Amino acid sequence: DNRFDMAVEGKGWIKVTDINNQTYYTRTGSFTRDAKGTLVMDNGDKLQVVNANNLTFDGKDWKFDASIPTDNLITAGAKTTQIDLPDNIMFPAKATENVKIGGNLPNENIAKDPKPAISTNNMGVLYNSDGMAMNMKDSQDVVFGFGNNIRYSDGLIRYDMCIENDVIDGSDINIDFDVNGENISLSVPDGSSSLDIVNAIAAKLDEKGILYSKTDTSIQIKSGNKLYIKSNGGDIVNSNSSMERLVYKTNDNTGSNFTTIQDFIDDLQNLATFTYGSDATVGLDSKGKLFIQNNTDSKELLALSFATDDSNDMFIHNLGTLGNYIKPNTASNSLEFNQNYQGFTGTIIDSAGNKNDLKFDFYKTKVDGDNTIWNLTISEISPEGEIISTINQD
């Protein structure tokens, strides 16, 4: 139970010297430190060892000198010395050279430690506000739009125009607007009835193949996947509206397709900018919520979202009140979108002897066929919490 006890197995002797520096050999292996720290037997004889000179004193600390070799110690005529052990020995730092990790990342439908989603996340690996995997599949969609008089139902995007009888004022009715970039421009005589105006506009729309229906006082314009109505200052259409079917694609963000959260934000921003210019801003906050900000002081904005037969129900539910009336200087928000996170921290030693944290952050980023892709960020962090270096890898 004594840390300095030794035993000889088989043939051999332990060398000691007495107070007169006489050499003796013994099989007794019980040693302790005397007042000076020298290893001695009970009678005071000093233990003699080969190459016991790898401890140096720099005037302040005893330090271990790793440069002195300790292999092949027993040679002919090898010099032996007593061994003095100070109370404290400083061992030089040895920087960590290799780190090896192993294990399985959980690919479950419930994220046990979810983190707020970030803009680069693929929509197919997101979790809803309850930490449940939404499992977005390729070609699932949502219809989203901005502005008044535009709606989605029965598989069609429609724009409603309500027409009233013209009051005689000495000026003809000027009609000038664009539908998906196609110009509808005409004049109707002053004082025309609502039916006359409806018939005149309907004839132009029918030529373009975008007339859905008409009554004596209304017209409906139709489109399957997108409808952009742009006012050119005419008397009938005096504001912009837009709506589009936005489709999730695992590897294609062209056109109205989106792959990541940022792609989806960009699509919504395009619609918002067409309709409201700089009055509306679309983004993602630090809690993983999508938002549409009304930047005006006096005008109410309208955002609209609709599910289709091909929508992901959990995704639509998580959009929450993103599609809503938005009062001046306020925002509409979705529920929290989350990402699956796994992480742990270990300790490494740098060349100066500092103990730094090595932090491993795994984020599930993509499902590609049968493969689940995770992003790994490895960060070395100082004791003061400063990031020394970072490596990022899929």
Side-chain angles (χ1 to χ4, degrees), residues 312-338:
N312 179 295
D313 291 339
M314 294 180 74
F315 173 64
I316 296 299
H317 176 76
N318 223 58
L319 288 178
T321 58
L322 188 66
N324 205 347
Y325 286 96
I326 313 170
K327 297 186 179 298
N329 293 313
T330 62
S332 62
N333 295 277
S334 72
L335 301 178
E336 294 91 349
F337 286 87
N338 292 302

Side-chain angles (χ1 to χ4, degrees), residues 169-194:
D169 59 4
S171 298
D172 289 346
I173 305 166
N174 175 37
I175 300 168
D176 189 1
F177 62 94
D178 293 346
V179 180
N180 291 345
E182 294 279 346
N183 184 246
I184 307 296
S185 180
L186 66 151
S187 293
V188 180
D190 183 26
S192 294
S193 67
S194 60

